[in-house]
Amino acid sequence: MAEWKNFDQLAAAGELENTGRVDLKAAMSGENGAERVKKYHIPMAEGLDYNYAAKAVDDEILEKLVKLADEAQLAEKFKELYNGAVINTGEKRLVLHHLTRGQLGDAVVADGVDKRAFYVKQQERIADFANKVHAGEIVNEKGEKFTTVVQIGIGGSDLGPRAMYLALENWAKANGTLKMTARFISNVDPDDAAQVLNSTDVAHAIFILVSKSGTTLETLTNETFVKNALVKEGLDPAKHMIAVTSETSPLAKNEGYLAAFFMDDYIGGRYSSTSAVGGAVLSLAFGPDVFAQFLEGAAAEDKIAAESDPMKNPDMLDALIGVYERNILGYEATAILPYSQALSRFPAHLQQLDMESNGKSVNRFGEPVFYPTGPVIFGEPGTNGQHSFYQLLHQGRNIIPLQFIGFRKNQCGMDDTIQGSTSQQKLCANVAAQIVAFACGRSNPDRNKNFEGGRPSSIITGEEVTPKTLGALLAHYENKVMFQGFCWNLNSFDQEGVQLGKILAKKVLAHETDGALAEYSRLLNI
């Protein structure tokens, strides 16, 4: 079995601390930069490629990172995870989101059930339901087809599925596979649900309630909001709603829903896009075949992530470089910058994925750690971000590592030549220019116009955002976060940090408050 050690107990961490730093500006200038771009990259699944030429690493540092991976037993720990070890120590649970898209190792049996078979069965049930909806076999009260699907959920029940839907919406329109428009309700703020309902033909809408426990306050509040709206329209909510929940929740066998599809405790919300949580809405929106392609792309990247050599494993190497930047170079944040409008909500999903997983100050045994862990994650799509926060990224005092994502083709197929180049060429020109500008900078005697450079970045490139490339991209980041958690000796699969606020909110609503909590309650007229 793998041995779990804190990051500061690893000899390779000390070696990295004592290794010379790379002059990124010099390394990326002229022919040096050209050679690095050709040399420093690793193929990913589905035609994607991870290029880290503009990161502040060289062969010596990479050698030390390989030693770090070996000493931290990253490959062994991943193998234990996908073979069913209790990796989630805080909740004493297995971690099985990889099983929703493929079998990497041994059969995993939990609660007397083959879990891969369980997940496949739910996917088959969802596919059958979606096909019947699309064929008009499952219809509304008037015998009319449903045209819209609305997901009600929060956190991982919203961010991932919403980001995946938006990533594929234009692709599906261009390829004739958009079956139903999808909308999402997440915030307990009634303006969120009202905005969605006011712009939705509720008579032809099917609503998905997503709650593993069946007790999530925000989700159940929004469910009631939706049910009231349906009743107001003279509609029976039971004929418009399905549930995605656990088999033991009060939603599981409930006549108030057309159907219930199941998840379990072994898949955290932020890792649930490839489970029934994403499967129901994406299969209804695009068809089960498209969701199957999405799973196929994720499974293909998972297989690469199981490679023990970091220099052949882009997920692991991306994680290791991130650890080097966080713990050795002292960089506190990372910006995710997709040059693709399809990925407009992808940074928001990655923000939860990373910060909820590795935003910890105790190790997997509950003991304090005294080194930095997960970075702050933020981002927006290019080129919008260039006209927003790139000023700080280029000339601010803090150096923030960057992760670009770029594709050679758009999804819509519309790309007129305007002023000598197409829109897609202009988009790609911008991302290429930004990488070099951040790395190399520009000297100017006018200090206001001087760019220091030395700002590290990587880029993942691909041909086009498709279901398969999207699945591979999602799996890459899920695995990256996992490997970083292993390096830091964290439990990346619980999220106790969200619980205290929930507890206090219930006290406020029950009027069981005193001190500052009571005063803030009065301030907000609760």
Side-chain angles (χ1 to χ4, degrees), residues 88 91 93 212 268-271 352 356-357 360 491-500 502:
N88 180 350
E91 297 169 312
R93 291 173 180 168
K212 186 186 298 183
R270 58 196 177 276
Y271 296 95
Q352 185 204 15
E356 196 166 79
S357 295
K360 309 287 176 66
N491 175 14
S492 301
F493 305 104
D494 67 2
Q495 56 284 330
E496 291 300 324
V498 305
Q499 299 303 323
L500 178 57
K502 290 182 179 181

PDB file of all heavy atoms in Angstrom, residues 88 91 93 212 268-271 352 356-357 360 491-500 502:
ATOM      1  N   ASN A  88     -11.373   8.818   0.536  1.00  0.00           N
ATOM      2  CA  ASN A  88     -12.039   9.927   1.229  1.00  0.00           C
ATOM      3  C   ASN A  88     -12.060   9.603   2.712  1.00  0.00           C
ATOM      4  O   ASN A  88     -13.002   9.002   3.233  1.00  0.00           O
ATOM      5  CB  ASN A  88     -13.458  10.110   0.682  1.00  0.00           C
ATOM      6  CG  ASN A  88     -14.222  11.245   1.363  1.00  0.00           C
ATOM      7  OD1 ASN A  88     -13.782  11.786   2.377  1.00  0.00           O
ATOM      8  ND2 ASN A  88     -15.367  11.590   0.806  1.00  0.00           N
ATOM      9  N   GLU A  91     -14.911  11.228   5.252  1.00  0.00           N
ATOM     10  CA  GLU A  91     -16.240  10.618   5.274  1.00  0.00           C
ATOM     11  C   GLU A  91     -16.186   9.097   5.182  1.00  0.00           C
ATOM     12  O   GLU A  91     -17.219   8.443   5.097  1.00  0.00           O
ATOM     13  CB  GLU A  91     -17.076  11.187   4.121  1.00  0.00           C
ATOM     14  CG  GLU A  91     -17.309  12.683   4.257  1.00  0.00           C
ATOM     15  CD  GLU A  91     -17.898  13.321   2.997  1.00  0.00           C
ATOM     16  OE1 GLU A  91     -17.381  13.051   1.899  1.00  0.00           O
ATOM     17  OE2 GLU A  91     -18.876  14.076   3.131  1.00  0.00           O
ATOM     18  N   ARG A  93     -15.122   7.049   2.762  1.00  0.00           N
ATOM     19  CA  ARG A  93     -15.800   6.611   1.543  1.00  0.00           C
ATOM     20  C   ARG A  93     -14.791   6.306   0.432  1.00  0.00           C
ATOM     21  O   ARG A  93     -13.695   6.863   0.398  1.00  0.00           O
ATOM     22  CB  ARG A  93     -16.764   7.695   1.041  1.00  0.00           C
ATOM     23  CG  ARG A  93     -17.965   7.919   1.933  1.00  0.00           C
ATOM     24  CD  ARG A  93     -18.760   9.111   1.455  1.00  0.00           C
ATOM     25  NE  ARG A  93     -19.927   9.355   2.310  1.00  0.00           N
ATOM     26  CZ  ARG A  93     -20.664  10.457   2.273  1.00  0.00           C
ATOM     27  NH1 ARG A  93     -20.363  11.421   1.419  1.00  0.00           N
ATOM     28  NH2 ARG A  93     -21.700  10.599   3.074  1.00  0.00           N
ATOM     29  N   LYS A 212     -28.590  14.645  -3.712  1.00  0.00           N
ATOM     30  CA  LYS A 212     -28.198  13.295  -3.282  1.00  0.00           C
ATOM     31  C   LYS A 212     -28.969  12.876  -2.038  1.00  0.00           C
ATOM     32  O   LYS A 212     -29.494  11.764  -1.957  1.00  0.00           O
ATOM     33  CB  LYS A 212     -26.699  13.260  -3.022  1.00  0.00           C
ATOM     34  CG  LYS A 212     -26.158  11.864  -2.714  1.00  0.00           C
ATOM     35  CD  LYS A 212     -24.691  11.895  -2.312  1.00  0.00           C
ATOM     36  CE  LYS A 212     -23.805  12.431  -3.400  1.00  0.00           C
ATOM     37  NZ  LYS A 212     -22.370  12.395  -3.033  1.00  0.00           N
ATOM     38  N   GLY A 268     -18.465  12.758  -5.369  1.00  0.00           N
ATOM     39  CA  GLY A 268     -18.704  14.101  -4.852  1.00  0.00           C
ATOM     40  C   GLY A 268     -19.384  14.969  -5.896  1.00  0.00           C
ATOM     41  O   GLY A 268     -19.226  14.753  -7.113  1.00  0.00           O
ATOM     42  N   GLY A 269     -20.112  15.967  -5.447  1.00  0.00           N
ATOM     43  CA  GLY A 269     -20.870  16.813  -6.368  1.00  0.00           C
ATOM     44  C   GLY A 269     -20.033  17.423  -7.469  1.00  0.00           C
ATOM     45  O   GLY A 269     -20.420  17.439  -8.632  1.00  0.00           O
ATOM     46  N   ARG A 270     -18.846  17.915  -7.120  1.00  0.00           N
ATOM     47  CA  ARG A 270     -18.006  18.589  -8.110  1.00  0.00           C
ATOM     48  C   ARG A 270     -17.365  17.606  -9.088  1.00  0.00           C
ATOM     49  O   ARG A 270     -16.767  18.026 -10.081  1.00  0.00           O
ATOM     50  CB  ARG A 270     -16.937  19.421  -7.408  1.00  0.00           C
ATOM     51  CG  ARG A 270     -16.035  18.609  -6.469  1.00  0.00           C
ATOM     52  CD  ARG A 270     -15.291  19.535  -5.525  1.00  0.00           C
ATOM     53  NE  ARG A 270     -14.468  18.835  -4.543  1.00  0.00           N
ATOM     54  CZ  ARG A 270     -14.919  18.346  -3.400  1.00  0.00           C
ATOM     55  NH1 ARG A 270     -16.223  18.417  -3.117  1.00  0.00           N
ATOM     56  NH2 ARG A 270     -14.104  17.770  -2.530  1.00  0.00           N
ATOM     57  N   TYR A 271     -17.480  16.313  -8.793  1.00  0.00           N
ATOM     58  CA  TYR A 271     -16.965  15.270  -9.694  1.00  0.00           C
ATOM     59  C   TYR A 271     -18.103  14.516 -10.385  1.00  0.00           C
ATOM     60  O   TYR A 271     -17.890  13.425 -10.906  1.00  0.00           O
ATOM     61  CB  TYR A 271     -16.112  14.266  -8.906  1.00  0.00           C
ATOM     62  CG  TYR A 271     -14.869  14.863  -8.289  1.00  0.00           C
ATOM     63  CD1 TYR A 271     -14.860  15.301  -6.970  1.00  0.00           C
ATOM     64  CD2 TYR A 271     -13.702  15.001  -9.037  1.00  0.00           C
ATOM     65  CE1 TYR A 271     -13.711  15.852  -6.398  1.00  0.00           C
ATOM     66  CE2 TYR A 271     -12.553  15.548  -8.470  1.00  0.00           C
ATOM     67  CZ  TYR A 271     -12.567  15.975  -7.157  1.00  0.00           C
ATOM     68  OH  TYR A 271     -11.441  16.521  -6.606  1.00  0.00           O
ATOM     69  N   GLN A 352     -14.741  25.676  -8.423  1.00  0.00           N
ATOM     70  CA  GLN A 352     -15.272  24.800  -7.382  1.00  0.00           C
ATOM     71  C   GLN A 352     -14.463  23.515  -7.268  1.00  0.00           C
ATOM     72  O   GLN A 352     -14.094  23.091  -6.170  1.00  0.00           O
ATOM     73  CB  GLN A 352     -16.740  24.438  -7.640  1.00  0.00           C
ATOM     74  CG  GLN A 352     -17.315  23.631  -6.479  1.00  0.00           C
ATOM     75  CD  GLN A 352     -18.492  22.760  -6.836  1.00  0.00           C
ATOM     76  OE1 GLN A 352     -18.764  22.507  -8.006  1.00  0.00           O
ATOM     77  NE2 GLN A 352     -19.206  22.284  -5.838  1.00  0.00           N
ATOM     78  N   GLU A 356     -12.681  23.716  -3.715  1.00  0.00           N
ATOM     79  CA  GLU A 356     -13.414  22.915  -2.743  1.00  0.00           C
ATOM     80  C   GLU A 356     -12.659  21.628  -2.427  1.00  0.00           C
ATOM     81  O   GLU A 356     -12.779  21.075  -1.338  1.00  0.00           O
ATOM     82  CB  GLU A 356     -14.818  22.589  -3.271  1.00  0.00           C
ATOM     83  CG  GLU A 356     -15.786  22.107  -2.194  1.00  0.00           C
ATOM     84  CD  GLU A 356     -17.222  22.107  -2.647  1.00  0.00           C
ATOM     85  OE1 GLU A 356     -17.611  21.155  -3.366  1.00  0.00           O
ATOM     86  OE2 GLU A 356     -17.959  23.042  -2.312  1.00  0.00           O
ATOM     87  N   SER A 357     -11.862  21.161  -3.383  1.00  0.00           N
ATOM     88  CA  SER A 357     -11.105  19.926  -3.162  1.00  0.00           C
ATOM     89  C   SER A 357      -9.856  20.147  -2.330  1.00  0.00           C
ATOM     90  O   SER A 357      -9.585  19.396  -1.383  1.00  0.00           O
ATOM     91  CB  SER A 357     -10.719  19.306  -4.512  1.00  0.00           C
ATOM     92  OG  SER A 357     -11.847  18.884  -5.229  1.00  0.00           O
ATOM     93  N   LYS A 360      -7.593  23.257   1.822  1.00  0.00           N
ATOM     94  CA  LYS A 360      -7.536  22.595   3.137  1.00  0.00           C
ATOM     95  C   LYS A 360      -6.288  23.028   3.896  1.00  0.00           C
ATOM     96  O   LYS A 360      -5.255  23.334   3.297  1.00  0.00           O
ATOM     97  CB  LYS A 360      -7.494  21.068   2.950  1.00  0.00           C
ATOM     98  CG  LYS A 360      -8.580  20.477   2.034  1.00  0.00           C
ATOM     99  CD  LYS A 360      -9.940  20.468   2.683  1.00  0.00           C
ATOM    100  CE  LYS A 360     -11.042  19.980   1.754  1.00  0.00           C
ATOM    101  NZ  LYS A 360     -10.935  18.579   1.369  1.00  0.00           N
ATOM    102  N   ASN A 491      -7.151  15.257   1.856  1.00  0.00           N
ATOM    103  CA  ASN A 491      -8.351  14.559   1.411  1.00  0.00           C
ATOM    104  C   ASN A 491      -9.082  15.515   0.481  1.00  0.00           C
ATOM    105  O   ASN A 491      -9.738  16.453   0.935  1.00  0.00           O
ATOM    106  CB  ASN A 491      -9.232  14.169   2.595  1.00  0.00           C
ATOM    107  CG  ASN A 491     -10.550  13.543   2.144  1.00  0.00           C
ATOM    108  OD1 ASN A 491     -10.706  13.155   0.978  1.00  0.00           O
ATOM    109  ND2 ASN A 491     -11.495  13.443   3.057  1.00  0.00           N
ATOM    110  N   SER A 492      -8.967  15.281  -0.813  1.00  0.00           N
ATOM    111  CA  SER A 492      -9.544  16.193  -1.809  1.00  0.00           C
ATOM    112  C   SER A 492     -11.013  15.906  -2.090  1.00  0.00           C
ATOM    113  O   SER A 492     -11.582  16.485  -3.021  1.00  0.00           O
ATOM    114  CB  SER A 492      -8.754  16.080  -3.121  1.00  0.00           C
ATOM    115  OG  SER A 492      -7.401  16.384  -2.926  1.00  0.00           O
ATOM    116  N   PHE A 493     -11.645  15.051  -1.286  1.00  0.00           N
ATOM    117  CA  PHE A 493     -12.958  14.554  -1.664  1.00  0.00           C
ATOM    118  C   PHE A 493     -14.049  14.783  -0.621  1.00  0.00           C
ATOM    119  O   PHE A 493     -15.139  14.232  -0.722  1.00  0.00           O
ATOM    120  CB  PHE A 493     -12.849  13.067  -2.027  1.00  0.00           C
ATOM    121  CG  PHE A 493     -11.809  12.837  -3.099  1.00  0.00           C
ATOM    122  CD1 PHE A 493     -10.561  12.311  -2.776  1.00  0.00           C
ATOM    123  CD2 PHE A 493     -12.048  13.201  -4.407  1.00  0.00           C
ATOM    124  CE1 PHE A 493      -9.591  12.128  -3.753  1.00  0.00           C
ATOM    125  CE2 PHE A 493     -11.084  13.032  -5.383  1.00  0.00           C
ATOM    126  CZ  PHE A 493      -9.852  12.497  -5.058  1.00  0.00           C
ATOM    127  N   ASP A 494     -13.759  15.579   0.400  1.00  0.00           N
ATOM    128  CA  ASP A 494     -14.839  16.063   1.256  1.00  0.00           C
ATOM    129  C   ASP A 494     -14.821  17.581   1.205  1.00  0.00           C
ATOM    130  O   ASP A 494     -13.982  18.187   0.532  1.00  0.00           O
ATOM    131  CB  ASP A 494     -14.717  15.525   2.691  1.00  0.00           C
ATOM    132  CG  ASP A 494     -13.493  16.057   3.447  1.00  0.00           C
ATOM    133  OD1 ASP A 494     -12.746  16.882   2.875  1.00  0.00           O
ATOM    134  OD2 ASP A 494     -13.280  15.649   4.594  1.00  0.00           O
ATOM    135  N   GLN A 495     -15.765  18.236   1.859  1.00  0.00           N
ATOM    136  CA  GLN A 495     -15.865  19.689   1.784  1.00  0.00           C
ATOM    137  C   GLN A 495     -16.511  20.240   3.061  1.00  0.00           C
ATOM    138  O   GLN A 495     -17.559  20.850   3.026  1.00  0.00           O
ATOM    139  CB  GLN A 495     -16.648  20.140   0.543  1.00  0.00           C
ATOM    140  CG  GLN A 495     -18.056  19.581   0.367  1.00  0.00           C
ATOM    141  CD  GLN A 495     -18.079  18.162  -0.116  1.00  0.00           C
ATOM    142  OE1 GLN A 495     -17.190  17.715  -0.828  1.00  0.00           O
ATOM    143  NE2 GLN A 495     -19.108  17.434   0.271  1.00  0.00           N
ATOM    144  N   GLU A 496     -15.839  19.980   4.169  1.00  0.00           N
ATOM    145  CA  GLU A 496     -16.378  20.450   5.449  1.00  0.00           C
ATOM    146  C   GLU A 496     -16.487  21.964   5.517  1.00  0.00           C
ATOM    147  O   GLU A 496     -17.277  22.501   6.285  1.00  0.00           O
ATOM    148  CB  GLU A 496     -15.500  19.926   6.592  1.00  0.00           C
ATOM    149  CG  GLU A 496     -15.595  18.424   6.810  1.00  0.00           C
ATOM    150  CD  GLU A 496     -16.994  17.952   7.140  1.00  0.00           C
ATOM    151  OE1 GLU A 496     -17.721  18.672   7.845  1.00  0.00           O
ATOM    152  OE2 GLU A 496     -17.379  16.856   6.685  1.00  0.00           O
ATOM    153  N   GLY A 497     -15.721  22.652   4.695  1.00  0.00           N
ATOM    154  CA  GLY A 497     -15.729  24.113   4.732  1.00  0.00           C
ATOM    155  C   GLY A 497     -17.050  24.746   4.354  1.00  0.00           C
ATOM    156  O   GLY A 497     -17.268  25.932   4.626  1.00  0.00           O
ATOM    157  N   VAL A 498     -17.948  23.981   3.746  1.00  0.00           N
ATOM    158  CA  VAL A 498     -19.245  24.569   3.359  1.00  0.00           C
ATOM    159  C   VAL A 498     -20.299  24.360   4.437  1.00  0.00           C
ATOM    160  O   VAL A 498     -21.423  24.864   4.322  1.00  0.00           O
ATOM    161  CB  VAL A 498     -19.749  23.981   2.021  1.00  0.00           C
ATOM    162  CG1 VAL A 498     -18.699  24.142   0.930  1.00  0.00           C
ATOM    163  CG2 VAL A 498     -20.132  22.511   2.165  1.00  0.00           C
ATOM    164  N   GLN A 499     -19.967  23.608   5.493  1.00  0.00           N
ATOM    165  CA  GLN A 499     -20.996  23.176   6.432  1.00  0.00           C
ATOM    166  C   GLN A 499     -21.354  24.220   7.493  1.00  0.00           C
ATOM    167  O   GLN A 499     -22.522  24.360   7.855  1.00  0.00           O
ATOM    168  CB  GLN A 499     -20.544  21.883   7.128  1.00  0.00           C
ATOM    169  CG  GLN A 499     -20.312  20.714   6.172  1.00  0.00           C
ATOM    170  CD  GLN A 499     -21.518  20.375   5.335  1.00  0.00           C
ATOM    171  OE1 GLN A 499     -22.654  20.447   5.799  1.00  0.00           O
ATOM    172  NE2 GLN A 499     -21.280  20.010   4.083  1.00  0.00           N
ATOM    173  N   LEU A 500     -20.355  24.950   8.007  1.00  0.00           N
ATOM    174  CA  LEU A 500     -20.612  25.856   9.129  1.00  0.00           C
ATOM    175  C   LEU A 500     -21.638  26.918   8.761  1.00  0.00           C
ATOM    176  O   LEU A 500     -22.564  27.208   9.535  1.00  0.00           O
ATOM    177  CB  LEU A 500     -19.305  26.510   9.590  1.00  0.00           C
ATOM    178  CG  LEU A 500     -19.433  27.524  10.726  1.00  0.00           C
ATOM    179  CD1 LEU A 500     -20.077  26.894  11.953  1.00  0.00           C
ATOM    180  CD2 LEU A 500     -18.064  28.101  11.073  1.00  0.00           C
ATOM    181  N   LYS A 502     -24.008  26.736   6.609  1.00  0.00           N
ATOM    182  CA  LYS A 502     -25.336  26.119   6.529  1.00  0.00           C
ATOM    183  C   LYS A 502     -25.960  25.987   7.918  1.00  0.00           C
ATOM    184  O   LYS A 502     -27.149  26.247   8.116  1.00  0.00           O
ATOM    185  CB  LYS A 502     -25.237  24.733   5.886  1.00  0.00           C
ATOM    186  CG  LYS A 502     -24.894  24.735   4.405  1.00  0.00           C
ATOM    187  CD  LYS A 502     -24.873  23.301   3.885  1.00  0.00           C
ATOM    188  CE  LYS A 502     -24.560  23.231   2.406  1.00  0.00           C
ATOM    189  NZ  LYS A 502     -24.560  21.837   1.912  1.00  0.00           N
TER     190      LYS A 502
END
